[in-house]
Amino acid sequence: MPGTVLLLAASPVGRGRLVDAASVLPVLAAVEPAVLSGTDTASVVELADPVEPQAVLTRLRAAAASPAPLTVFVTGQLQLDRRQRLPHLALARTTPATVRYTALPWHWLREELRLRPDGTTTLVADLYADEESWRQLRERPLEAGRTVAVYGRIAPPPSRRTVAVPAYMKAVATILRSGHRPPLEQLHEQALARLAGGAEGAGAMRAGAEGGPGIVLAARRPAAADPHAAIAAWVESGRHGDADALAARWEQAAVRAYGAASEDALHWTEVRADLAMFAGDAARSCRAWLTVAATRLAMGQSADAPAVEAAVDRAHHQWGQIREPERARELGPVLAELRGRVPGRRRGALDDVRRQLRQLQGQS
């Protein structure tokens, strides 16, 4: 099956830039797509210093929607938003005061990759963290999802008035330019060895980094009995009913064991919401996401909690895909009420719901 490669290099323009992320793209672009992907053929999507987080999310979502092998190369810098202290990938217009609105939340990336089939997704990352992010990440590791193999490093901020070079990613690209892609574990170790032998490796150790070149990101492998693999395989083969039935059994088991408001049960409700989307049932998907959002709010989670925002955003997106006016009118007021409580990061989202509701009412 042809693979997909997403090359994402992002860093702020101006004094806030820690790393010249885009400088690695010409080196990566010189590598044959099939070598980047590890498949016979592959398509490559390149994002150089993007400006809008929603535009990056759209490209990421499109790449993640295919069951084909996906390799994501990410180079850039991490910053925390001031409200929730969550890691974000800084984009071209990001400043410390605007992280929440101009940077890509890391949990968006994790959410888009979480339902992909086991063994089909690889994330290769070369990231620099500002001082606040660096302190937090040494205690709370960066997560990419249970089915994603992760390789790379997170480096501490460079010295003042210095813009770092993405040395780990350049080492990866240089190795791949030979036309041979070693097993990813070997590729990762070879890149780290090149890094440790250079000046940056010594500098990182002086900065107190772990593993020499920074915080080393090791591969994470899914559990052997993970039901997500069977669900993903059924979705890939078009057996949407079987996939939902299996997810429903796990959802019911979680409800019996932990309660309907537990994280285990809500996870499976979210899985079923995504499965409804894959099956083309936007109304059922929307309803499930609305349930998740309402449950999380009732549990006391804040309106700007990532899981709450993600549920309302996905409900909003699916509501816009409903083609039956009657079902859209039924779910619209519920969405509008939740949008009033959870405005999200997209400006004008509540106004958008109200405007579409007025149009639907005019069709009745």
PDB file of all heavy atoms in Angstrom, residues 116-152:
ATOM      1  N   ARG A 116      -5.517   5.222  14.450  1.00  0.00           N
ATOM      2  CA  ARG A 116      -4.893   4.582  13.298  1.00  0.00           C
ATOM      3  C   ARG A 116      -4.523   3.139  13.615  1.00  0.00           C
ATOM      4  O   ARG A 116      -4.244   2.792  14.767  1.00  0.00           O
ATOM      5  CB  ARG A 116      -3.651   5.380  12.868  1.00  0.00           C
ATOM      6  CG  ARG A 116      -4.022   6.699  12.188  1.00  0.00           C
ATOM      7  CD  ARG A 116      -2.790   7.409  11.639  1.00  0.00           C
ATOM      8  NE  ARG A 116      -1.955   6.512  10.856  1.00  0.00           N
ATOM      9  CZ  ARG A 116      -2.192   6.138   9.610  1.00  0.00           C
ATOM     10  NH1 ARG A 116      -3.258   6.591   8.973  1.00  0.00           N
ATOM     11  NH2 ARG A 116      -1.365   5.323   8.980  1.00  0.00           N
ATOM     12  N   PRO A 117      -4.501   2.258  12.596  1.00  0.00           N
ATOM     13  CA  PRO A 117      -4.160   0.855  12.845  1.00  0.00           C
ATOM     14  C   PRO A 117      -2.773   0.704  13.460  1.00  0.00           C
ATOM     15  O   PRO A 117      -1.848   1.462  13.148  1.00  0.00           O
ATOM     16  CB  PRO A 117      -4.206   0.235  11.436  1.00  0.00           C
ATOM     17  CG  PRO A 117      -5.083   1.140  10.645  1.00  0.00           C
ATOM     18  CD  PRO A 117      -4.856   2.517  11.187  1.00  0.00           C
ATOM     19  N   ASP A 118      -2.648  -0.277  14.319  1.00  0.00           N
ATOM     20  CA  ASP A 118      -1.359  -0.545  14.961  1.00  0.00           C
ATOM     21  C   ASP A 118      -0.287  -0.806  13.905  1.00  0.00           C
ATOM     22  O   ASP A 118      -0.525  -1.461  12.895  1.00  0.00           O
ATOM     23  CB  ASP A 118      -1.453  -1.773  15.867  1.00  0.00           C
ATOM     24  CG  ASP A 118      -2.376  -1.533  17.054  1.00  0.00           C
ATOM     25  OD1 ASP A 118      -2.732  -0.372  17.279  1.00  0.00           O
ATOM     26  OD2 ASP A 118      -2.725  -2.509  17.730  1.00  0.00           O
ATOM     27  N   GLY A 119       0.892  -0.283  14.155  1.00  0.00           N
ATOM     28  CA  GLY A 119       2.029  -0.569  13.293  1.00  0.00           C
ATOM     29  C   GLY A 119       2.064   0.221  12.004  1.00  0.00           C
ATOM     30  O   GLY A 119       2.901  -0.042  11.146  1.00  0.00           O
ATOM     31  N   THR A 120       1.171   1.205  11.830  1.00  0.00           N
ATOM     32  CA  THR A 120       1.136   1.969  10.573  1.00  0.00           C
ATOM     33  C   THR A 120       1.570   3.414  10.741  1.00  0.00           C
ATOM     34  O   THR A 120       1.628   4.149   9.754  1.00  0.00           O
ATOM     35  CB  THR A 120      -0.283   1.974   9.968  1.00  0.00           C
ATOM     36  OG1 THR A 120      -1.171   2.679  10.854  1.00  0.00           O
ATOM     37  CG2 THR A 120      -0.791   0.561   9.754  1.00  0.00           C
ATOM     38  N   THR A 121       1.903   3.833  11.965  1.00  0.00           N
ATOM     39  CA  THR A 121       2.161   5.256  12.206  1.00  0.00           C
ATOM     40  C   THR A 121       3.487   5.448  12.921  1.00  0.00           C
ATOM     41  O   THR A 121       3.745   4.841  13.959  1.00  0.00           O
ATOM     42  CB  THR A 121       1.037   5.880  13.058  1.00  0.00           C
ATOM     43  OG1 THR A 121      -0.225   5.512  12.525  1.00  0.00           O
ATOM     44  CG2 THR A 121       1.160   7.395  13.066  1.00  0.00           C
ATOM     45  N   THR A 122       4.317   6.312  12.340  1.00  0.00           N
ATOM     46  CA  THR A 122       5.605   6.641  12.934  1.00  0.00           C
ATOM     47  C   THR A 122       5.742   8.154  13.033  1.00  0.00           C
ATOM     48  O   THR A 122       5.434   8.878  12.084  1.00  0.00           O
ATOM     49  CB  THR A 122       6.768   6.091  12.092  1.00  0.00           C
ATOM     50  OG1 THR A 122       6.615   4.672  11.950  1.00  0.00           O
ATOM     51  CG2 THR A 122       8.111   6.389  12.737  1.00  0.00           C
ATOM     52  N   LEU A 123       6.195   8.617  14.186  1.00  0.00           N
ATOM     53  CA  LEU A 123       6.462  10.034  14.403  1.00  0.00           C
ATOM     54  C   LEU A 123       7.947  10.200  14.680  1.00  0.00           C
ATOM     55  O   LEU A 123       8.488   9.591  15.615  1.00  0.00           O
ATOM     56  CB  LEU A 123       5.639  10.555  15.584  1.00  0.00           C
ATOM     57  CG  LEU A 123       5.893  12.004  16.007  1.00  0.00           C
ATOM     58  CD1 LEU A 123       5.446  12.960  14.903  1.00  0.00           C
ATOM     59  CD2 LEU A 123       5.181  12.321  17.307  1.00  0.00           C
ATOM     60  N   VAL A 124       8.614  11.007  13.857  1.00  0.00           N
ATOM     61  CA  VAL A 124      10.027  11.324  14.049  1.00  0.00           C
ATOM     62  C   VAL A 124      10.091  12.810  14.388  1.00  0.00           C
ATOM     63  O   VAL A 124       9.646  13.655  13.597  1.00  0.00           O
ATOM     64  CB  VAL A 124      10.858  11.017  12.792  1.00  0.00           C
ATOM     65  CG1 VAL A 124      12.334  11.325  13.037  1.00  0.00           C
ATOM     66  CG2 VAL A 124      10.681   9.558  12.375  1.00  0.00           C
ATOM     67  N   ALA A 125      10.636  13.140  15.563  1.00  0.00           N
ATOM     68  CA  ALA A 125      10.558  14.513  16.050  1.00  0.00           C
ATOM     69  C   ALA A 125      11.918  15.045  16.470  1.00  0.00           C
ATOM     70  O   ALA A 125      12.709  14.348  17.111  1.00  0.00           O
ATOM     71  CB  ALA A 125       9.597  14.588  17.237  1.00  0.00           C
ATOM     72  N   ASP A 126      12.167  16.296  16.100  1.00  0.00           N
ATOM     73  CA  ASP A 126      13.339  17.035  16.574  1.00  0.00           C
ATOM     74  C   ASP A 126      12.804  18.372  17.088  1.00  0.00           C
ATOM     75  O   ASP A 126      12.493  19.273  16.308  1.00  0.00           O
ATOM     76  CB  ASP A 126      14.340  17.243  15.435  1.00  0.00           C
ATOM     77  CG  ASP A 126      15.662  17.818  15.941  1.00  0.00           C
ATOM     78  OD1 ASP A 126      15.765  18.109  17.148  1.00  0.00           O
ATOM     79  OD2 ASP A 126      16.595  17.979  15.124  1.00  0.00           O
ATOM     80  N   LEU A 127      12.680  18.476  18.398  1.00  0.00           N
ATOM     81  CA  LEU A 127      11.986  19.605  18.998  1.00  0.00           C
ATOM     82  C   LEU A 127      12.865  20.312  20.021  1.00  0.00           C
ATOM     83  O   LEU A 127      13.603  19.672  20.777  1.00  0.00           O
ATOM     84  CB  LEU A 127      10.696  19.132  19.690  1.00  0.00           C
ATOM     85  CG  LEU A 127       9.687  18.405  18.801  1.00  0.00           C
ATOM     86  CD1 LEU A 127       8.615  17.736  19.643  1.00  0.00           C
ATOM     87  CD2 LEU A 127       9.065  19.372  17.801  1.00  0.00           C
ATOM     88  N   TYR A 128      12.747  21.633  20.055  1.00  0.00           N
ATOM     89  CA  TYR A 128      13.377  22.439  21.094  1.00  0.00           C
ATOM     90  C   TYR A 128      12.283  22.977  22.007  1.00  0.00           C
ATOM     91  O   TYR A 128      11.199  23.342  21.539  1.00  0.00           O
ATOM     92  CB  TYR A 128      14.177  23.589  20.488  1.00  0.00           C
ATOM     93  CG  TYR A 128      15.528  23.160  19.990  1.00  0.00           C
ATOM     94  CD1 TYR A 128      15.665  22.464  18.796  1.00  0.00           C
ATOM     95  CD2 TYR A 128      16.676  23.413  20.738  1.00  0.00           C
ATOM     96  CE1 TYR A 128      16.907  22.046  18.352  1.00  0.00           C
ATOM     97  CE2 TYR A 128      17.930  22.996  20.296  1.00  0.00           C
ATOM     98  CZ  TYR A 128      18.034  22.313  19.102  1.00  0.00           C
ATOM     99  OH  TYR A 128      19.262  21.891  18.666  1.00  0.00           O
ATOM    100  N   ALA A 129      12.576  23.027  23.286  1.00  0.00           N
ATOM    101  CA  ALA A 129      11.603  23.512  24.260  1.00  0.00           C
ATOM    102  C   ALA A 129      12.105  24.818  24.872  1.00  0.00           C
ATOM    103  O   ALA A 129      13.309  24.969  25.110  1.00  0.00           O
ATOM    104  CB  ALA A 129      11.386  22.476  25.356  1.00  0.00           C
ATOM    105  N   ASP A 130      11.185  25.763  25.095  1.00  0.00           N
ATOM    106  CA  ASP A 130      11.590  26.952  25.836  1.00  0.00           C
ATOM    107  C   ASP A 130      11.761  26.568  27.307  1.00  0.00           C
ATOM    108  O   ASP A 130      11.528  25.426  27.703  1.00  0.00           O
ATOM    109  CB  ASP A 130      10.604  28.096  25.636  1.00  0.00           C
ATOM    110  CG  ASP A 130       9.225  27.818  26.206  1.00  0.00           C
ATOM    111  OD1 ASP A 130       9.026  26.780  26.874  1.00  0.00           O
ATOM    112  OD2 ASP A 130       8.316  28.645  25.989  1.00  0.00           O
ATOM    113  N   GLU A 131      12.179  27.518  28.128  1.00  0.00           N
ATOM    114  CA  GLU A 131      12.525  27.200  29.518  1.00  0.00           C
ATOM    115  C   GLU A 131      11.359  26.572  30.273  1.00  0.00           C
ATOM    116  O   GLU A 131      11.520  25.564  30.977  1.00  0.00           O
ATOM    117  CB  GLU A 131      12.989  28.471  30.240  1.00  0.00           C
ATOM    118  CG  GLU A 131      14.346  28.988  29.788  1.00  0.00           C
ATOM    119  CD  GLU A 131      15.502  28.116  30.262  1.00  0.00           C
ATOM    120  OE1 GLU A 131      15.269  27.177  31.037  1.00  0.00           O
ATOM    121  OE2 GLU A 131      16.646  28.391  29.839  1.00  0.00           O
ATOM    122  N   GLU A 132      10.159  27.143  30.131  1.00  0.00           N
ATOM    123  CA  GLU A 132       8.998  26.616  30.851  1.00  0.00           C
ATOM    124  C   GLU A 132       8.646  25.212  30.380  1.00  0.00           C
ATOM    125  O   GLU A 132       8.368  24.317  31.184  1.00  0.00           O
ATOM    126  CB  GLU A 132       7.802  27.556  30.666  1.00  0.00           C
ATOM    127  CG  GLU A 132       7.926  28.886  31.376  1.00  0.00           C
ATOM    128  CD  GLU A 132       6.689  29.725  31.176  1.00  0.00           C
ATOM    129  OE1 GLU A 132       6.234  29.850  30.024  1.00  0.00           O
ATOM    130  OE2 GLU A 132       6.170  30.256  32.170  1.00  0.00           O
ATOM    131  N   SER A 133       8.630  25.019  29.071  1.00  0.00           N
ATOM    132  CA  SER A 133       8.295  23.703  28.526  1.00  0.00           C
ATOM    133  C   SER A 133       9.338  22.667  28.945  1.00  0.00           C
ATOM    134  O   SER A 133       8.998  21.526  29.272  1.00  0.00           O
ATOM    135  CB  SER A 133       8.211  23.763  27.000  1.00  0.00           C
ATOM    136  OG  SER A 133       7.257  24.702  26.580  1.00  0.00           O
ATOM    137  N   TRP A 134      10.590  23.065  28.923  1.00  0.00           N
ATOM    138  CA  TRP A 134      11.663  22.132  29.263  1.00  0.00           C
ATOM    139  C   TRP A 134      11.502  21.614  30.692  1.00  0.00           C
ATOM    140  O   TRP A 134      11.625  20.417  30.951  1.00  0.00           O
ATOM    141  CB  TRP A 134      13.015  22.823  29.083  1.00  0.00           C
ATOM    142  CG  TRP A 134      14.186  21.959  29.424  1.00  0.00           C
ATOM    143  CD1 TRP A 134      15.024  22.098  30.493  1.00  0.00           C
ATOM    144  CD2 TRP A 134      14.639  20.807  28.716  1.00  0.00           C
ATOM    145  NE1 TRP A 134      15.981  21.115  30.484  1.00  0.00           N
ATOM    146  CE2 TRP A 134      15.770  20.306  29.408  1.00  0.00           C
ATOM    147  CE3 TRP A 134      14.211  20.149  27.560  1.00  0.00           C
ATOM    148  CZ2 TRP A 134      16.468  19.183  28.981  1.00  0.00           C
ATOM    149  CZ3 TRP A 134      14.908  19.031  27.134  1.00  0.00           C
ATOM    150  CH2 TRP A 134      16.017  18.550  27.833  1.00  0.00           C
ATOM    151  N   ARG A 135      11.208  22.528  31.622  1.00  0.00           N
ATOM    152  CA  ARG A 135      11.036  22.103  33.017  1.00  0.00           C
ATOM    153  C   ARG A 135       9.857  21.145  33.158  1.00  0.00           C
ATOM    154  O   ARG A 135       9.929  20.136  33.872  1.00  0.00           O
ATOM    155  CB  ARG A 135      10.834  23.323  33.914  1.00  0.00           C
ATOM    156  CG  ARG A 135      12.088  24.154  34.128  1.00  0.00           C
ATOM    157  CD  ARG A 135      11.907  25.129  35.270  1.00  0.00           C
ATOM    158  NE  ARG A 135      10.887  26.120  34.973  1.00  0.00           N
ATOM    159  CZ  ARG A 135      11.132  27.291  34.392  1.00  0.00           C
ATOM    160  NH1 ARG A 135      12.375  27.614  34.047  1.00  0.00           N
ATOM    161  NH2 ARG A 135      10.160  28.152  34.169  1.00  0.00           N
ATOM    162  N   GLN A 136       8.758  21.447  32.460  1.00  0.00           N
ATOM    163  CA  GLN A 136       7.567  20.600  32.587  1.00  0.00           C
ATOM    164  C   GLN A 136       7.758  19.250  31.912  1.00  0.00           C
ATOM    165  O   GLN A 136       7.341  18.210  32.447  1.00  0.00           O
ATOM    166  CB  GLN A 136       6.351  21.322  31.981  1.00  0.00           C
ATOM    167  CG  GLN A 136       5.076  20.485  32.027  1.00  0.00           C
ATOM    168  CD  GLN A 136       3.866  21.295  31.654  1.00  0.00           C
ATOM    169  OE1 GLN A 136       3.542  22.283  32.282  1.00  0.00           O
ATOM    170  NE2 GLN A 136       3.159  20.867  30.601  1.00  0.00           N
ATOM    171  N   LEU A 137       8.385  19.234  30.744  1.00  0.00           N
ATOM    172  CA  LEU A 137       8.511  17.992  29.989  1.00  0.00           C
ATOM    173  C   LEU A 137       9.434  16.987  30.666  1.00  0.00           C
ATOM    174  O   LEU A 137       9.316  15.781  30.430  1.00  0.00           O
ATOM    175  CB  LEU A 137       9.018  18.294  28.570  1.00  0.00           C
ATOM    176  CG  LEU A 137       7.992  18.960  27.652  1.00  0.00           C
ATOM    177  CD1 LEU A 137       8.669  19.487  26.403  1.00  0.00           C
ATOM    178  CD2 LEU A 137       6.885  17.985  27.292  1.00  0.00           C
ATOM    179  N   ARG A 138      10.332  17.443  31.502  1.00  0.00           N
ATOM    180  CA  ARG A 138      11.194  16.510  32.211  1.00  0.00           C
ATOM    181  C   ARG A 138      10.419  15.759  33.289  1.00  0.00           C
ATOM    182  O   ARG A 138      10.861  14.705  33.750  1.00  0.00           O
ATOM    183  CB  ARG A 138      12.390  17.249  32.802  1.00  0.00           C
ATOM    184  CG  ARG A 138      13.291  17.839  31.719  1.00  0.00           C
ATOM    185  CD  ARG A 138      14.560  18.404  32.290  1.00  0.00           C
ATOM    186  NE  ARG A 138      15.422  17.330  32.806  1.00  0.00           N
ATOM    187  CZ  ARG A 138      16.631  17.553  33.298  1.00  0.00           C
ATOM    188  NH1 ARG A 138      17.107  18.778  33.365  1.00  0.00           N
ATOM    189  NH2 ARG A 138      17.361  16.552  33.747  1.00  0.00           N
ATOM    190  N   GLU A 139       9.259  16.296  33.674  1.00  0.00           N
ATOM    191  CA  GLU A 139       8.405  15.618  34.653  1.00  0.00           C
ATOM    192  C   GLU A 139       7.200  14.961  33.995  1.00  0.00           C
ATOM    193  O   GLU A 139       6.721  13.925  34.467  1.00  0.00           O
ATOM    194  CB  GLU A 139       7.932  16.618  35.708  1.00  0.00           C
ATOM    195  CG  GLU A 139       9.057  17.255  36.510  1.00  0.00           C
ATOM    196  CD  GLU A 139       8.540  18.271  37.510  1.00  0.00           C
ATOM    197  OE1 GLU A 139       7.309  18.487  37.556  1.00  0.00           O
ATOM    198  OE2 GLU A 139       9.369  18.849  38.240  1.00  0.00           O
ATOM    199  N   ARG A 140       6.695  15.552  32.920  1.00  0.00           N
ATOM    200  CA  ARG A 140       5.507  15.038  32.232  1.00  0.00           C
ATOM    201  C   ARG A 140       5.851  14.814  30.768  1.00  0.00           C
ATOM    202  O   ARG A 140       5.829  15.736  29.963  1.00  0.00           O
ATOM    203  CB  ARG A 140       4.343  16.027  32.361  1.00  0.00           C
ATOM    204  CG  ARG A 140       3.885  16.222  33.793  1.00  0.00           C
ATOM    205  CD  ARG A 140       3.002  17.438  33.945  1.00  0.00           C
ATOM    206  NE  ARG A 140       1.874  17.434  33.009  1.00  0.00           N
ATOM    207  CZ  ARG A 140       1.033  18.450  32.876  1.00  0.00           C
ATOM    208  NH1 ARG A 140       1.197  19.554  33.576  1.00  0.00           N
ATOM    209  NH2 ARG A 140       0.038  18.362  32.023  1.00  0.00           N
ATOM    210  N   PRO A 141       6.194  13.584  30.383  1.00  0.00           N
ATOM    211  CA  PRO A 141       6.645  13.309  29.012  1.00  0.00           C
ATOM    212  C   PRO A 141       5.589  13.655  27.964  1.00  0.00           C
ATOM    213  O   PRO A 141       4.381  13.645  28.235  1.00  0.00           O
ATOM    214  CB  PRO A 141       6.920  11.796  29.032  1.00  0.00           C
ATOM    215  CG  PRO A 141       7.097  11.458  30.473  1.00  0.00           C
ATOM    216  CD  PRO A 141       6.217  12.391  31.234  1.00  0.00           C
ATOM    217  N   LEU A 142       6.068  13.945  26.776  1.00  0.00           N
ATOM    218  CA  LEU A 142       5.196  14.234  25.644  1.00  0.00           C
ATOM    219  C   LEU A 142       4.547  12.941  25.161  1.00  0.00           C
ATOM    220  O   LEU A 142       5.226  11.927  24.988  1.00  0.00           O
ATOM    221  CB  LEU A 142       6.023  14.858  24.525  1.00  0.00           C
ATOM    222  CG  LEU A 142       5.320  15.771  23.528  1.00  0.00           C
ATOM    223  CD1 LEU A 142       4.740  16.988  24.233  1.00  0.00           C
ATOM    224  CD2 LEU A 142       6.311  16.213  22.452  1.00  0.00           C
ATOM    225  N   GLU A 143       3.231  12.956  24.946  1.00  0.00           N
ATOM    226  CA  GLU A 143       2.497  11.766  24.511  1.00  0.00           C
ATOM    227  C   GLU A 143       2.088  11.900  23.051  1.00  0.00           C
ATOM    228  O   GLU A 143       1.698  12.983  22.602  1.00  0.00           O
ATOM    229  CB  GLU A 143       1.246  11.568  25.367  1.00  0.00           C
ATOM    230  CG  GLU A 143       1.544  11.249  26.830  1.00  0.00           C
ATOM    231  CD  GLU A 143       2.113   9.862  27.010  1.00  0.00           C
ATOM    232  OE1 GLU A 143       1.912   9.020  26.125  1.00  0.00           O
ATOM    233  OE2 GLU A 143       2.761   9.621  28.049  1.00  0.00           O
ATOM    234  N   ALA A 144       2.141  10.776  22.330  1.00  0.00           N
ATOM    235  CA  ALA A 144       1.708  10.778  20.926  1.00  0.00           C
ATOM    236  C   ALA A 144       0.622   9.749  20.647  1.00  0.00           C
ATOM    237  O   ALA A 144       0.132   9.677  19.528  1.00  0.00           O
ATOM    238  CB  ALA A 144       2.893  10.541  19.999  1.00  0.00           C
ATOM    239  N   GLY A 145       0.236   8.951  21.641  1.00  0.00           N
ATOM    240  CA  GLY A 145      -0.808   7.954  21.426  1.00  0.00           C
ATOM    241  C   GLY A 145      -0.277   6.539  21.498  1.00  0.00           C
ATOM    242  O   GLY A 145       0.888   6.273  21.193  1.00  0.00           O
ATOM    243  N   ARG A 146      -1.158   5.631  21.866  1.00  0.00           N
ATOM    244  CA  ARG A 146      -0.747   4.257  22.153  1.00  0.00           C
ATOM    245  C   ARG A 146      -0.356   3.460  20.914  1.00  0.00           C
ATOM    246  O   ARG A 146       0.338   2.451  21.017  1.00  0.00           O
ATOM    247  CB  ARG A 146      -1.865   3.527  22.905  1.00  0.00           C
ATOM    248  CG  ARG A 146      -3.089   3.241  22.065  1.00  0.00           C
ATOM    249  CD  ARG A 146      -4.157   2.532  22.877  1.00  0.00           C
ATOM    250  NE  ARG A 146      -4.860   3.454  23.770  1.00  0.00           N
ATOM    251  CZ  ARG A 146      -5.719   3.066  24.695  1.00  0.00           C
ATOM    252  NH1 ARG A 146      -5.949   1.793  24.872  1.00  0.00           N
ATOM    253  NH2 ARG A 146      -6.331   3.949  25.439  1.00  0.00           N
ATOM    254  N   THR A 147      -0.801   3.862  19.732  1.00  0.00           N
ATOM    255  CA  THR A 147      -0.495   3.084  18.527  1.00  0.00           C
ATOM    256  C   THR A 147       0.629   3.685  17.700  1.00  0.00           C
ATOM    257  O   THR A 147       0.906   3.205  16.605  1.00  0.00           O
ATOM    258  CB  THR A 147      -1.749   2.963  17.641  1.00  0.00           C
ATOM    259  OG1 THR A 147      -2.127   4.267  17.188  1.00  0.00           O
ATOM    260  CG2 THR A 147      -2.900   2.331  18.398  1.00  0.00           C
ATOM    261  N   VAL A 148       1.273   4.746  18.198  1.00  0.00           N
ATOM    262  CA  VAL A 148       2.274   5.476  17.418  1.00  0.00           C
ATOM    263  C   VAL A 148       3.678   5.127  17.894  1.00  0.00           C
ATOM    264  O   VAL A 148       3.968   5.172  19.090  1.00  0.00           O
ATOM    265  CB  VAL A 148       2.045   6.997  17.538  1.00  0.00           C
ATOM    266  CG1 VAL A 148       3.078   7.759  16.697  1.00  0.00           C
ATOM    267  CG2 VAL A 148       0.632   7.362  17.095  1.00  0.00           C
ATOM    268  N   ALA A 149       4.549   4.766  16.962  1.00  0.00           N
ATOM    269  CA  ALA A 149       5.967   4.570  17.266  1.00  0.00           C
ATOM    270  C   ALA A 149       6.660   5.921  17.169  1.00  0.00           C
ATOM    271  O   ALA A 149       6.565   6.598  16.142  1.00  0.00           O
ATOM    272  CB  ALA A 149       6.593   3.585  16.289  1.00  0.00           C
ATOM    273  N   VAL A 150       7.339   6.323  18.244  1.00  0.00           N
ATOM    274  CA  VAL A 150       7.925   7.661  18.330  1.00  0.00           C
ATOM    275  C   VAL A 150       9.440   7.552  18.426  1.00  0.00           C
ATOM    276  O   VAL A 150       9.969   6.783  19.232  1.00  0.00           O
ATOM    277  CB  VAL A 150       7.388   8.419  19.562  1.00  0.00           C
ATOM    278  CG1 VAL A 150       7.950   9.837  19.603  1.00  0.00           C
ATOM    279  CG2 VAL A 150       5.868   8.462  19.543  1.00  0.00           C
ATOM    280  N   TYR A 151      10.134   8.338  17.615  1.00  0.00           N
ATOM    281  CA  TYR A 151      11.591   8.420  17.664  1.00  0.00           C
ATOM    282  C   TYR A 151      11.994   9.884  17.590  1.00  0.00           C
ATOM    283  O   TYR A 151      11.369  10.669  16.868  1.00  0.00           O
ATOM    284  CB  TYR A 151      12.220   7.668  16.481  1.00  0.00           C
ATOM    285  CG  TYR A 151      11.865   6.202  16.436  1.00  0.00           C
ATOM    286  CD1 TYR A 151      10.755   5.765  15.710  1.00  0.00           C
ATOM    287  CD2 TYR A 151      12.628   5.259  17.119  1.00  0.00           C
ATOM    288  CE1 TYR A 151      10.412   4.419  15.673  1.00  0.00           C
ATOM    289  CE2 TYR A 151      12.300   3.912  17.085  1.00  0.00           C
ATOM    290  CZ  TYR A 151      11.190   3.503  16.363  1.00  0.00           C
ATOM    291  OH  TYR A 151      10.850   2.174  16.334  1.00  0.00           O
ATOM    292  N   GLY A 152      13.061  10.239  18.306  1.00  0.00           N
ATOM    293  CA  GLY A 152      13.537  11.606  18.210  1.00  0.00           C
ATOM    294  C   GLY A 152      14.084  12.119  19.515  1.00  0.00           C
ATOM    295  O   GLY A 152      14.506  11.350  20.381  1.00  0.00           O
TER     296      GLY A 152
END
